[in-house]
Amino acid sequence: MSTAIVTGATGITGTAVVGALTNSPDFTEVYTLSRSQKSTPHPKVKHATLDLQTSADEMSQSLSHIPPVTHIFFCAYLADPDEAEAARINGSMLSNFLEALIKSGQTKELRRIILTCGLKQFGVHLGQPKNPMREDDDPSLFWLEQEDRPPNFYYTQQRILEKAAKDAGNKWTWTVTYPQDVIGFAKANFMNLATSIGLYAAVSKELEGSKLIFPGNKINYLAFNCWTSAKIHAEFCLWASNSSNAANQRFIVINGDTQSWQDLWPRLAARFGCTVPEHMFPSDDGSGKEAYPGFESNSMKLHPRPPVSEVDAKLGLKGEFKQSEVNCQIDLQKWAKRPDVVKAWERLRDRYGLDQTAWDSATWDFLSFLLGRNYSNVASMSKARKMGWHGYADTWDEFQRTFKELEEAKMLPPVADLKGSHS
Ligand SMILES: NC(=O)c1ccc[n+]([C@@H]2O[C@H](COP(=O)([O-])OP(=O)(O)OC[C@H]3O[C@@H](n4cnc5c(N)ncnc54)[C@H](OP(=O)(O)O)[C@@H]3O)[C@@H](O)[C@H]2O)c1
């Protein structure tokens, strides 16, 4: 029998990990931790509030009620726009927590720690990666630590974890996961794709004409991407926690299909009762920088050298990769403040008793990035599959399942009613 501690248990990846653990007959007790009390009650779950930014001594006192556990799932995350600060904060949250666990004795029976990182490992936030991304990629792509690269908190966390295992005499092992753009349920978290896109679609339906305009650019609309369902990621973490093959290994974790907005967007429009404009990019001049008539656009340059440029000569494409950009024909931050948009949201909120915090904490900047970047992001699941992982999720099914959960939590309006309404 196994027992677990989950940090970040109320976040998008953590909530799903807790769900998978409570469904698993192998796990008898699950100790969940976060600063807030948002965790869903379950007979197997004992939630405690803990601030991972406090000292190891303070934490060990707060943890003293928890017996030794067999598994730890580290899903806590604190965002900071300054990459160096993000590395310092997220690194010390992990190292202080590990020190606290040793002090208070929870590591005595420990078998595995599973750390959730992400495809930023490959610099997908800095520009065009080499596609598909693979765990056996050239080290210059897998650890982007060239002089002009910003710090990456995943690198800091992984080094802390590896050292802790070594210091413990390798009595326990670790697994690191790299999900991409997670589709899942959480309240007021840092990167919430499904909530933000669902709100955009529901409000678009409520606006005059009910058109679902793609806020990003045509290059992105036609590009290929992969996504990670929080549910499939959680199931993967469970598989990894007990697979000897996964000991001291790093894995890309994606749904297993390759997808694109050209496929998802019309389905999204149909689900929310909207129409797709016949000319989605009416001002397109190929630059990706055009504005949709009547809206303000925005544009941002990423790192001067996209990650793929590290291997340009090896690919036979020396000097050919340009700086990547994020271009949105609709600036979502400004869109969300437009009086007609705010009124449409308020009408939906009042009609269906929706939670105002869903709107207030929608991550428009994150959504803009996902819709506005001008390159594909595809990763390979070959390593995990060769080692025995056979999980798979259909990306559109996962969006639909998550929208339903968000409806039930009153964060999105009920789609059945929306479709029946006329604007
Ligand atoms: N979301 C995505 O689309 C995505 C994509 C790829 C990779 N990832 C990676 O996945 C990992 C987990 O992120 P996530 O998106 O699941 O995060 P999230 O949804 O924003 O949740 C963060 C969790 O950490 C907890 N937390 C934050 N600060 C804390 C503190 N000082 N003490 C204790 N708990 C704290 C939060 O709870 P409280 O606020 O209640 O404390 C919450 O449970 C990160 O490395 C992230 O980069 C995420």
Side-chain angles (χ1 to χ4, degrees):
M1 284 298 151
S2 307
T3 54
I5 293 177
V6 183
T7 69
T10 53
I12 194 164
T13 54
T15 300
V17 166
V18 175
L21 289 169
T22 54
N23 285 337
S24 161
D26 293 342
F27 282 85
T28 51
E29 280 172 351
V30 182
Y31 298 90
T32 62
L33 303 170
S34 74
R35 289 167 305 179
S36 62
Q37 283 286 7
K38 292 181 284 189
S39 196
T40 321
H42 186 281
K44 279 189 197 175
V45 173
K46 292 187 176 64
H47 187 75
T49 51
L50 177 93
D51 187 349
L52 289 163
Q53 286 190 289
T54 54
S55 70
D57 280 334
E58 281 171 273
M59 269 193 262
S60 74
Q61 278 170 24
S62 313
L63 292 168
S64 57
H65 66 289
I66 301 181
V69 293
T70 57
H71 293 82
I72 292 165
F73 296 83
F74 196 91
C75 305
Y77 167 57
L78 252 180
D80 196 290
D82 178 334
E83 310 264 11
E85 193 53 10
R88 190 194 62 76
I89 294 171
N90 290 284
S92 63
M93 289 208 301
L94 177 62
S95 59
N96 287 348
F97 178 63
L98 292 174
E99 198 185 323
L101 291 175
I102 295 165
K103 280 181 196 259
S104 47
Q106 285 88 14
T107 54
K108 282 182 197 149
E109 294 169 20
L110 189 60
R111 289 184 230 146
R112 180 83 45 91
I113 297 186
I114 291 89
L115 170 67
T116 301
C117 291
L119 280 190
K120 279 187 192 167
Q121 175 79 20
F122 295 85
V124 292
H125 56 310
L126 303 177
Q128 183 180 348
K130 187 225 80 189
N131 283 313
M133 290 163 261
R134 300 171 54 98
E135 298 89 338
D136 58 3
D137 270 340
D138 191 287
S140 67
L141 291 170
F142 197 58
W143 298 91
L144 287 161
E145 296 188 292
Q146 300 77 16
E147 248 176 40
D148 60 343
R149 300 286 183 197
N152 185 323
F153 79 88
Y154 294 155
Y155 302 167
T156 311
Q157 286 188 321
Q158 289 169 77
R159 288 193 174 115
I160 289 168
L161 186 61
E162 277 181 86
K163 183 176 179 304
K166 215 169 149 202
D167 291 348
N170 297 311
K171 284 192 189 131
W172 51 266
T173 51
W174 51 266
T175 305
V176 173
T177 68
Y178 306 124
Q180 163 79 335
D181 302 342
V182 175
I183 305 166
F185 175 87
K187 283 189 177 173
N189 69 319
F190 290 118
M191 294 180 275
N192 53 47
L193 166 61
T195 312
S196 307
I197 213 164
L199 286 169
Y200 178 75
V203 168
S204 294
K205 163 68 181 164
E206 183 70 12
L207 290 169
E208 200 187 329
S210 295
K211 275 194 284 183
L212 191 69
I213 308 163
F214 187 74
N217 63 70
K218 193 172 177 180
I219 301 166
N220 185 298
Y221 195 70
L222 296 174
F224 292 102
N225 282 294
C226 52
W227 279 268
T228 303
S229 144
K231 184 167 173 283
I232 204 85
H233 176 259
E235 286 163 12
F236 182 92
C237 288
L238 229 69
W239 169 80
S241 73
N242 281 316
S243 161
S244 53
N245 282 346
N248 298 342
Q249 294 289 328
R250 307 166 209 276
F251 292 99
I252 288 166
V253 185
I254 51 161
N255 291 342
D257 57 354
T258 299
Q259 257 297 358
S260 64
W261 289 116
Q262 61 184 295
D263 183 71
L264 295 170
W265 202 256
R267 299 199 212 194
L268 194 67
R271 186 191 186 276
F272 284 88
C274 296
T275 54
V276 168
E278 269 185 31
H279 298 286
M280 187 83 94
F281 306 96
S283 326
D284 178 43
D285 62 2
S287 71
K289 289 182 186 154
E290 68 279 3
Y292 196 93
F295 292 88
E296 284 187 67
S297 63
N298 69 342
S299 204
M300 178 175 78
K301 283 191 186 301
L302 298 180
H303 193 274
R305 291 183 312 109
V308 67
S309 68
E310 297 300 341
V311 291
D312 57 358
K314 284 187 187 163
L315 301 183
L317 298 166
K318 190 162 170 55
E320 291 192 29
F321 294 104
K322 290 194 217 129
Q323 182 169 22
S324 297
E325 294 179 5
V326 177
N327 297 308
C328 288
Q329 61 174 348
I330 297 178
D331 181 323
L332 282 170
Q333 308 259 23
K334 289 187 180 148
W335 174 88
K337 291 194 176 83
R338 282 167 66 115
D340 56 338
V341 167
V342 173
K343 279 193 193 117
W345 155 253
E346 287 172 351
R347 281 199 300 279
L348 289 174
R349 180 197 61 198
D350 296 345
R351 197 183 307 147
Y352 299 110
L354 302 181
D355 183 350
Q356 178 63 31
T357 50
W359 182 258
D360 294 341
S361 51
T363 52
W364 302 120
D365 50 346
F366 179 57
L367 185 59
S368 300
F369 190 83
L370 303 195
L371 304 180
R373 57 195 171 198
N374 66 349
Y375 48 93
S376 290
N377 289 276
V378 175
S380 165
M381 279 301 284
S382 288
K383 175 176 176 181
R385 286 183 180 137
K386 283 184 201 170
M387 288 194 176
W389 164 252
H390 301 299
Y392 164 78
D394 176 88
T395 295
W396 175 243
D397 288 352
E398 292 307 299
F399 268 115
Q400 299 220 80
R401 206 175 43 72
T402 306
F403 290 145
K404 195 98 202 73
E405 271 186 85
L406 291 163
E407 282 180 16
E408 282 160 15
K410 298 269 181 199
M411 293 168 73
L412 284 183
V415 75
D417 274 42
L418 267 188
K419 277 184 166 173
S421 71
H422 299 282
S423 2

